Every structure is written in structure tokens, then in C-alpha cells.
Amino acid sequence: MTDPKTSALLNCINQISFFEGFSSIEKETLLKKVSMFKKYDKKGTIIFSEEQKGSSMYVILEGVIAITRASFANDKKEQFTLAKLKKGSVFGEIALLSNQSRTTSAITESPLVIVMVIDKQMLESFDLGIQKIFHTKMIEILIRRLDDMNKKYRNLKDSNT
């Protein structure tokens, strides 16, 4: 792997906790799927939109993504930012698992964003060992998010009593 582009991607992957369970051989296998890696070099680029049919998840390798949702106030539609996700963040996993429409939009928040895009077809093209790691990581993410929501709910409930 002497290709500078591949080396740079491997360096990014090695810095992200999502990939900690992958062996170096498995990481090299991921890097061979060049179509999984998308580069956006303009702030404000829409990666996906709310209500759009989704079937893929994303891992941010470089840059910042804004997760937004439409809000209607005084008959005027406005986008508000729910979160700003940085390098190492994962988003869109619900769409990968369920094929449901997106409930938010994802927009580049920095002038350079590099993401790994994983859809079902791509995931199924890997050997079972890699698939198992991806599934385990997605379950960990979903559990962490559910725990976070439960904490927020408890805090909200406690503040109202």
C-alpha cells in the first residue's frame, strides 16, 4: 500500500475508534472498496435530505457534518441544527438497518469532508468476519444512543417534578 491516497485513508481510519476492532488486514480490505469513500470539498453540500429514502450509514473520516431538521414557524420553513458531528462520528445507521426515510438532513459544515459510506450491498460484499464487526459496532452505537436518550428523558422528567 504505497499509494499516498490509500495511506492517507488508512491513517484516518487508524485514528477512529469505530475501526478499533478491525485487524490491519480487514482495514486493507475496506480500503480496496474505493467507491465507499466520498470526498466533499465545499461547505454546505447536502449529503442527504430529510424525507429522502435511505439505505446507507456514514463514518466521518475528516471534517464536520451538520445534522439538521426542518421546523415550521409562522408558516415559514427553517432548518435548525440538531448536532455537529466530527471526525469519528457515525450517522445514518438507522437507514442502513431499516431502509426507512431519513428523519434529518446531513450537510457539510467544513470545506473538506471525507466519509466512508456503507450500504447493505457493500456490507454484504465483505466476508462474514468483517460483517460481524460492522454489526457489532452498529449495535454498540444504537445502545449508546438509546442510553443517551434515556438519560435526557430522566433529566427532563426530574426537572419537571
Side-chain angles (χ1 to χ4, degrees), residues 66-120:
I67 303 298
T68 66
R69 184 165 186 142
S71 173
F72 294 91
N74 302 325
D75 294 329
K76 185 179 175 189
K77 182 179 177 181
E78 293 181 16
Q79 289 293 116
F80 69 96
T81 301
L82 297 171
K84 289 190 180 182
L85 305 178
K86 297 177 180 166
K87 181 177 184 170
S89 296
V90 176
F91 62 99
E93 70 284 348
I94 300 294
L96 173 64
L97 296 169
S98 68
N99 258 351
Q100 293 180 349
S101 296
R102 305 279 185 186
T103 58
T104 58
S105 297
I107 303 165
T108 58
E109 184 69 19
S110 59
L112 172 65
V113 172
I114 301 170
V115 293
M116 177 187 274
V117 184
I118 302 110
D119 62 20
K120 282 186 181 174

Side-chain angles (χ1 to χ4, degrees), residues 25 41 62 86 108:
I25 292 170
D41 46 15
E62 196 64 54
K86 297 177 180 166
T108 58

Side-chain angles (χ1 to χ4, degrees), residues 1-14 16 19 22-38 61 114-116 118 122 125-126 130 134:
M1 268 211 245
T2 57
D3 174 16
K5 196 175 196 178
T6 304
S7 294
L9 283 173
L10 181 60
N11 185 42
C12 284
I13 285 172
N14 283 332
I16 295 173
F19 298 103
F22 291 81
S23 71
S24 52
I25 292 170
E26 290 166 333
K27 289 176 187 175
E28 287 181 25
T29 300
L30 296 177
L31 292 173
K32 289 178 185 171
K33 303 275 187 174
V34 180
S35 63
M36 283 183 18
F37 300 94
K38 302 279 187 231
L61 303 178
I114 301 170
V115 293
M116 177 187 274
I118 302 110
M122 183 65 69
S125 74
F126 293 118
I130 292 177
F134 267 105

Side-chain angles (χ1 to χ4, degrees), residues 12-22 88 137 140 144:
C12 284
I13 285 172
N14 283 332
Q15 297 174 32
I16 295 173
S17 64
F18 182 87
F19 298 103
E20 286 175 357
F22 291 81
K137 294 291 186 177
E140 289 172 0
R144 191 169 42 248

